[in-house]
Amino acid sequence: MAKAAARKTNWFAIWTSVIVAVIVIGAGVAVVIGNSVATSSGTAPAASNLDKDSGALLFGEGENRVETYIDFQCPACNQFEGAYGEQLAELAANNDITLAVHPVAILDRFSMGTNYSSRAANAYYCVADTDSSKLQEFTTTMFANQPAENTSGLTDEQIVGFAKDLGVDITTCQQEAKFSKYVTWSTKKLPKNPATGQSATPTIVIDDEYQQLATIGASATFFADKFGSATPTESPAPSASVSPSSSGTATPSPSATK
């Protein structure tokens, strides 16, 4: 698997070499703070692999823990999933790592008032509550159908339809936004980048150590090399450099602003 990953173009590395992922500064900070008023977690999903302390869903039982914080509205999260999702899933399946996935919502302001980030994270918890074995497939489907920023995003009906395609009925759970308070609570736990003091998605933490995206993006087989035994079949991508942006999210073009 790692060899196959190495042969793919590492678009995540290319992207992070020209622009940072989602940086939450200025107005973005107000969004996170505004979404973080609640101190109670509210209703938690009834999933055996739920980490009740953090709100993460756990996959695998490896000694090393890899934590990913993702917003389903975040283009850079989509790039990260495409570049490293398969590696992480296989390492977790082999119990080489414990993969902890945190669905968070920091980009609601880019969905024209529909709060797509929060709704998508709620749906992730709804799937966990119903059949957590479908979570990784659901994640892949959600990113494959990721709406553009500054649109209304996917409707609840569309999201429910994707879950039903996987054999999971989350209709009532999604319509009632059953885990909306839980999403708010878990989003509060998004770590800040120690280099900038700012929050961002995707955020990657390995064994309690914050990882810079530029370091990860320098290798198409970063996780397989770190936790597996495979050797890359081609040279790693050029080292990435991260440059903070004042916008709420990354865009494919370094000249684009919001």
Side-chain angles (χ1 to χ4, degrees):
M1 183 281 302
K3 291 183 179 181
R7 288 193 291 269
K8 297 178 182 178
T9 301
N10 190 355
W11 293 110
F12 181 75
I14 293 172
W15 209 12
T16 55
S17 70
V18 293
I19 198 162
V20 72
V22 179
I23 298 297
V24 182
I25 59 177
V29 171
V31 171
V32 174
I33 294 174
N35 287 342
S36 303
V37 174
T39 57
S40 170
S41 64
T43 302
S48 60
N49 61 330
L50 176 71
D51 181 350
K52 295 181 180 179
D53 291 331
S54 69
L57 275 299
L58 308 180
F59 305 90
E61 298 179 349
E63 179 180 356
N64 298 106
R65 179 162 168 148
V66 178
E67 305 193 53
T68 64
Y69 294 78
I70 57 172
D71 185 315
F72 286 105
Q73 179 75 14
C74 160
C77 297
N78 196 343
Q79 293 285 336
F80 177 86
E81 177 66 20
Y84 301 107
E86 185 180 346
Q87 286 179 59
L88 290 169
E90 184 165 324
L91 288 166
N94 292 337
N95 290 322
D96 292 321
I97 64 171
T98 296
L99 175 63
V101 179
H102 302 255
V104 299
I106 63 174
L107 296 179
D108 279 336
R109 65 194 184 282
F110 289 114
S111 55
M112 300 179 67
T114 72
N115 295 326
Y116 175 69
S117 292
S118 291
R119 291 189 295 108
N122 179 79
Y124 184 90
Y125 282 126
C126 287
V127 173
D129 187 64
T130 307
D131 184 355
S132 60
S133 70
K134 301 296 185 180
L135 281 172
Q136 291 177 329
E137 292 176 89
F138 184 70
T139 298
T140 299
T141 299
M142 289 291 282
F143 278 128
N145 293 276
Q146 185 181 68
E149 292 178 308
N150 296 312
T151 67
S152 59
L154 300 174
T155 65
D156 282 340
E157 289 75 16
Q158 288 174 305
I159 295 171
V160 167
F162 292 142
K164 283 184 176 179
D165 289 342
L166 299 175
V168 184
D169 188 354
I170 62 170
T171 304
T172 301
C173 180
Q174 187 66 10
Q175 288 176 346
E176 296 179 352
K178 181 177 180 179
F179 301 112
S180 59
K181 192 172 183 180
Y182 199 76
V183 170
T184 298
W185 173 82
S186 62
T187 298
K188 287 178 62 178
K189 298 181 180 297
L190 176 63
K192 289 182 171 60
N193 186 335
T196 65
Q198 298 162 353
S199 300
T201 56
T203 284
I204 313 302
V205 177
I206 297 178
D207 294 331
D208 297 323
E209 183 177 346
Y210 192 102
Q211 305 295 306
Q212 298 299 330
L213 296 182
T215 301
I216 295 173
S219 172
T221 52
F222 177 85
F223 297 100
D225 293 343
K226 190 173 184 65
F227 300 111
S229 58
T231 302
T233 58
E234 63 181 34
S235 300
S239 297
S241 60
V242 179
S243 58
S245 166
S246 60
S247 67
T249 183
T251 59
S253 169
S255 62
T257 58
K258 293 183 176 66

